[in-house]
Amino acid sequence: MSNLIVLGAQWGDEGKGKIVDLFSEKFHAVARYQGGHNAGHTVYIGERKFVLKLIPSGVLRPGVQAVIGNGVVIDPKALLEEIHGLEEMGVDVKAQLKISNRAHIIFPFHRTLEKISEGREGHVAIGTTSRGIGPCYEDKVARRGIRVADFVDSDFAQLYRALAEDKQLIATAFKLTDRVDFKEILEQYKQFAIEIRPLVCDTQHLLNGLIREGKSVLFEGAQGTMLDIDFGTYPFVTSSSAAAGGACTGTGVAPNKIDGIVGVSKAYITRVGAGPFPSEDLTELGEEIRRRGNEFGSVTGRPRRCGWFDVPLLRYTAEVNGFDSLIITKLDVLDELKEIPVCVAYEVDGKVVHEMPASTRRMEAIKPVFERLPGWQTKTQGVAQMDKLPKAAQNYLKFLAERTGVEIGSVSNGPERNETMIIPGSKLEKLLQ
Ligand code: GDP
Ligand code: IMO
Ligand code: MG
């Protein structure tokens, strides 16, 4: 059995949660490696709907070891709320979950700082999820953050005071009206630490131990490659390494232990928040996709911007991540379209290009070059075999595989676990054996 990374090939919300939940049946452990409760991974099991934010989707399978890796940033209040919510739905989270002692802690003042930064006059807002994710990673990189190991240790108060003094200076400089009560936060966090302490361990040791015993680990990406701090549409990105490399730095499992890397992509594309979006459809058709795909953020409820499958973008994320296989989700959302546009190239400054520009100006200047493929106008939800899909849908998928240069190993055509086909003979099928 393989160790597999499953991650977003676009701007997030590709359906990673559904796929990880489905695959986790075959794995011993599922580990999150970056991000925080900015993620929202929706899983439907029969009538029940789960939205996982910090906790890996694998937790919904009894017996699967769920791990929050060192690359994740944790808001203890949000974590405990999520744990309690899942417990109420009958999931024995505390029996399954371990949290890295090297992950970083989010404090309420991280959210306050984010509000200042996003609301600053003359500053183009990123449209973040307002969860304090960016400022927490800033403290991590500036070497003044507080890690889980210290949060649950006896000298937490001392470390906290140093960080709080630093933030107090900023609060004073910005003449903050909604002042942060640092003492109250300390008392609250001491209480959170009591409940979280038993879940904390050296998760890199835990995961490597499982791998040494021949057990398999599934690495669950949050966000998507185009939101990665290095490879995304900077600065309109999140603050962590969402791409495949992040799975190693974010868990302490070495690259030579990874057997496969799988990208999840919608049959079209969406984005939440600001930033360039070459294949965005601002017409009534884009709205129809939003309606049919129920494209509203699972964390913030914001309407997602909708557009068409973007070949240069996918080729770029395939290269950055080394995808062995692609999973195409939400094929059913396109069922009623007569014609489906696919962005096959970019026109930038009057030239046709196939690569992803790095500069923000060039990114924003992209004019998409579209090819239009015939739609199938037949219901595909739940169709379980490739050859049972309408011919036009098969051709559409074939086109995506040929143009991106990556095999399509699986197609999802509905939110339920069983509305997913694994293509026989695919690399993905072998990786899951
Ligand atoms: P994630 O962040 O990548 O896990 O994705 P989200 O959960 O934020 O958004 C994906 C949404 O699409 C969820 O509401 C899923 O239940 C839903 N979904 C996933 N796959 C399919 C599919 O194949 N068809 C349809 N109609 N919905 C899907
Ligand atoms: P999942 O895991 C879609 C976006 C935000 C914003 C940018 C930065 O569900 O796919 P942040 O709060 O992270 O500093 O915001 O990133 N963003 C997401 N978009 N899906 C997500 O997660 C996202 N997490 C962050 O909308 O544009
Ligand atoms: Mg999501």
Side-chain angles (χ1 to χ4, degrees):
M1 194 56 209
S2 321
N3 299 316
L4 203 65
I5 305 174
V6 172
L7 79 151
Q10 300 171 319
W11 275 291
D13 301 326
E14 298 91 346
K16 301 174 290 292
K18 172 195 153 157
I19 298 298
V20 168
D21 164 65
L22 179 72
F23 289 1
S24 57
E25 189 187 17
K26 299 180 181 246
F27 289 81
H28 292 95
V30 179
R32 267 283 300 273
Y33 58 87
Q34 44 70 234
H37 64 312
N38 48 350
H41 299 171
T42 315
V43 178
Y44 286 93
I45 305 174
E47 295 293 291
R48 297 193 305 165
K49 176 185 176 183
F50 300 86
V51 181
L52 296 137
K53 293 168 188 148
L54 264 165
I55 300 175
S57 308
V59 80
L60 302 178
R61 301 268 186 187
V64 170
Q65 175 70 68
V67 170
I68 296 181
N70 56 278
V72 175
V73 287
I74 299 172
D75 179 329
K77 185 165 184 266
L79 174 65
L80 289 172
E81 277 171 8
E82 192 172 342
I83 291 176
H84 298 153
L86 286 169
E87 281 174 344
E88 274 168 28
M89 293 180 84
V91 183
D92 192 1
V93 185
K94 286 179 181 160
Q96 284 175 255
L97 180 67
K98 288 291 174 208
I99 299 167
S100 169
N101 48 11
R102 292 182 173 86
H104 276 251
I105 296 288
I106 299 179
F107 292 93
F109 42 75
H110 286 132
R111 281 199 301 278
T112 311
L113 288 170
E114 186 168 340
K115 214 163 101 188
I116 299 171
S117 167
E118 284 281 274
R120 223 166 60 231
E121 216 172 296
H123 165 81
V124 181
I126 291 164
T128 67
T129 58
S130 315
R131 300 293 189 269
I133 306 290
C136 180
Y137 277 115
E138 282 177 40
D139 277 348
K140 170 179 175 174
V141 177
R143 297 158 295 179
R144 59 172 171 245
I146 293 182
R147 304 204 293 181
V148 169
D150 297 311
F151 164 60
V152 298
D153 204 10
S154 54
D155 64 349
F156 168 58
Q158 207 179 324
L159 289 168
Y160 172 79
R161 258 178 226 114
L163 185 65
E165 266 168 33
D166 195 82
K167 303 301 176 208
Q168 185 69 68
L169 286 176
I170 300 173
T172 312
F174 276 93
K175 299 186 179 65
L176 274 191
T177 43
D178 49 344
R179 294 191 73 81
V180 182
D181 189 335
F182 290 98
K183 268 206 189 117
E184 192 187 305
I185 297 171
L186 177 61
E187 290 317 310
Q188 229 187 8
Y189 271 56
K190 280 183 183 164
Q191 290 307 309
F192 295 151
I194 294 170
E195 199 173 343
I196 289 175
R197 192 174 290 122
L199 305 178
V200 174
C201 78
D202 199 332
T203 52
Q204 67 84 16
H205 191 59
L206 171 71
L207 290 170
N208 282 296
L210 288 174
I211 293 171
R212 274 193 296 275
E213 287 170 25
K215 295 185 169 151
S216 54
V217 180
L218 181 57
F219 298 85
E220 176 179 1
Q223 289 80 56
T225 310
M226 294 311 289
L227 289 170
D228 179 273
I229 184 72
D230 287 283
F231 294 104
T233 41
Y234 192 90
F236 300 98
V237 292
T238 193
S239 302
S240 65
S241 298
C248 295
T249 55
T251 58
V253 173
N256 61 1
K257 301 288 187 299
I258 308 293
D259 302 297
I261 302 169
V262 177
V264 186
S265 162
K266 283 176 186 166
Y268 50 98
I269 194 166
T270 61
R271 164 163 215 174
V272 200
F277 185 171
S279 68
E280 182 167 18
D281 191 321
L282 295 165
T283 72
E284 172 55 31
L285 205 51
E287 270 172 43
E288 193 185 322
I289 293 296
R290 181 177 310 128
R291 255 193 325 272
R292 287 187 47 80
N294 192 24
E295 296 296 357
F296 295 89
S298 26
V299 170
T300 58
R302 290 179 290 175
R304 295 172 180 155
R305 299 159 66 192
C306 297
W308 305 109
F309 191 93
D310 182 332
V311 171
L313 180 147
L314 232 301
R315 289 181 69 87
Y316 170 72
T317 60
E319 179 170 271
V320 165
N321 295 302
F323 289 146
D324 293 296
S325 195
L326 262 186
I327 299 173
I328 300 292
T329 61
K330 304 190 96 162
L331 184 74
D332 53 300
V333 174
L334 304 180
D335 280 356
E336 280 171 24
L337 298 184
K338 213 167 156 200
E339 217 180 42
I340 307 165
V342 176
C343 171
V344 292
Y346 298 154
E347 195 191 305
V348 187
D349 298 340
K351 284 200 191 97
V352 173
V353 297
H354 295 272
E355 285 77 41
M356 182 64 64
S359 98
T360 310
R361 185 200 65 78
R362 279 170 64 79
M363 208 45 226
E364 274 163 358
I366 290 173
K367 290 198 189 107
V369 178
F370 285 114
E371 271 185 43
R372 283 161 214 282
L373 274 75
W376 41 94
Q377 297 184 290
T378 314
K379 200 167 173 287
T380 63
Q381 182 161 11
V383 174
Q385 274 170 257
M386 184 61 103
D387 58 8
K388 298 267 159 53
L389 284 174
K391 204 80 203 138
Q394 291 183 41
N395 288 340
Y396 181 72
L397 293 165
K398 218 156 118 197
F399 182 86
L400 302 189
E402 275 167 15
R403 292 298 178 99
T404 58
V406 188
E407 72 156 31
I408 292 175
S410 169
V411 178
S412 162
N413 47 8
E416 287 281 347
R417 276 175 173 169
N418 60 0
E419 291 168 326
T420 323
M421 59 181 102
I422 308 287
I423 309 303
S426 65
K427 230 171 163 181
L428 178 65
E429 189 194 43
K430 290 189 192 82
L431 286 165
L432 291 172
Q433 269 160 10

